[in-house]
Amino acid sequence: MFHSDSAFATLTSQTLTHEQKLMNLAKEAENAFDVLDIPPRTRHFFETGAINDLFEGHAPYRPRYILPDYGAFVRQGSAFLRLPPPQDLDELLFSLMTLYRHVPSITNFPVYLGNLDTLIDPFLDGWSDEEARRKLRLFLNYLDRTITDSFCHANLGPAATRAGRLLLEVLSEVQNTVPNFTLKYDPEVTPDAFAEAAIRCSLACSNPALCSHPANRDTFDDYGVSSCYNILPIRGGAYTLTRVTLTRLVDDARGVEHFVEELLPECLRLTTDYMNERIRFLVEQSGFFPSSFLVQEGLISADRFLPMFGVTGLAEAVNHLLRDRGLVYGRDGEADALGVRIMEKIDAVVKTLPAAHSPLTGNHFLLHAQVGLDSDVGITSGVRIPVGSEPESFADHLRHCARFHPYFPAGVGDIFPIASNVEQNPAALLDVVKGAFALGVHYMSFYSADTDLVRITGYLVKRSEMEKFRSHQVVLQNTTHLGTANYDVNRLAQRKVRMV
């Protein structure tokens, strides 16, 4: 008979909702299987924390991230869901809400909701701004109250639309944690007024973030931003995301040369072998793709999925290797140069390792700067600079970001608390964005230093909800559980506030 202490603790918890209990118990059942061949050396790296599967479970039965072609859905409807193509705004929003309920992911919720402004804009004719805002307010509140996981993303832009403007207005008003939004910013397409409206909204409610559209469309011309800054192809997604935690791997290193030339390549190879095990089981045995109506109706296609190779904890790895000399990542040129050398080695090795069932990328893995876990004590997300070590100059910080962002075609981002007085001058912050993107920064997110909504790593949590969770109250979003621990342990309240 199956039994575990953690399952029983879930059953009897007084701080979890019924839905949170259900998902935790489902994960317990999934992890009772042992279907993956994991060699002893790989298990060693799992035990040390150098390799981490990010809670994907022992028996993969759905892709980690799925990005349906919502535009195709709007044009054709869904035979499986018995939905005709929507004819007006009410039918559109109803149809989208229905489909979202049936889009799985590693979180059991959709991680991508589409480019909402371009989906909605053609259906606004005949509605006043006030009427449209009321409908969009109900729509966004429905998403926030039913997708109770902040690893959920929607996109805007790059062109300005009436729907985009109205969504920003409503976002600022409702102050929701779900979904995350990203504005795809293109200086050749996005008007300053629209970008400034997005920045003004972000300073009010930490939403949306901004990505460099020219930089990210180089990876996939038709891409979406999902979950935590994941750049993935529409009509596809990510089979899996496993990360190498450099902070933990460096503990086995005898020095810089041993780490870069021997230990790191070995761990990278074993990580890709492990991901290929997951992919083969998912594609060849789980039955997901043959059985999914998303495939049958052309909303996703197996040949547009890929594996994401996650990297995190670069800062601590560099600092560990140079600890005898007191050099610090993000502050000393020699430390940053070692960071570049490590990333160049990772990039070069991973490009030589074949990825199963991934024709879209030429059967290669794509690097992703993984944004962290609630259990990441002393591990700085991706290639970010640790809290407390940020350069005094905002410009220097952005130059550092620009040096490392281009290694990560599957997504990378940095977070900047902004002094509240900047709300009076969003044009100045837009100038910073333009300069950063011109340098090579791929993704930026802001929040006002005194807002209730804060970005933890790549997702939003309310300070007020974290206070409820700390006092052992039940909270709606399960990501509040994750965010509270991360916020406290990694001293996120002490991020350097930037003036503009």
Side-chain angles (χ1 to χ4, degrees), residues 339-351:
V340 168
R341 181 183 172 189
I342 291 170
M343 283 311 310
E344 287 179 342
K345 173 61 78 170
I346 292 172
D347 185 56
V349 171
V350 170
K351 283 177 177 174

Side-chain angles (χ1 to χ4, degrees), residues 221-295:
D221 186 53
D222 192 12
Y223 74 94
V225 185
S226 66
S227 189
C228 285
Y229 314 148
N230 302 313
I231 308 298
L232 291 167
I234 302 300
R235 206 161 52 84
Y239 291 124
T240 182
L241 167 56
T242 300
R243 78 178 192 187
V244 168
T245 307
L246 301 173
T247 311
R248 298 290 176 249
L249 181 63
V250 78
D251 290 339
D252 286 349
R254 297 192 295 269
V256 171
E257 294 306 313
H258 175 246
F259 179 76
V260 176
E261 301 301 333
E262 296 183 41
L263 190 61
L264 185 57
E266 179 193 19
C267 188
L268 298 176
R269 177 181 57 79
L270 293 173
T271 303
T272 59
D273 288 346
Y274 171 75
M275 281 196 275
N276 280 333
E277 274 288 296
R278 299 192 66 87
I279 295 167
R280 290 189 186 102
F281 184 87
L282 174 62
V283 174
E284 299 170 12
Q285 292 184 257
S286 76
F288 174 81
F289 289 102
S291 66
S292 174
F293 81 96
L294 298 171
V295 175

Side-chain angles (χ1 to χ4, degrees), residues 143-158:
L143 298 177
D144 183 69
R145 308 311 191 267
T146 59
I147 301 175
T148 54
D149 184 288
S150 297
F151 299 116
C152 175
H153 223 108
N155 299 169
L156 301 171

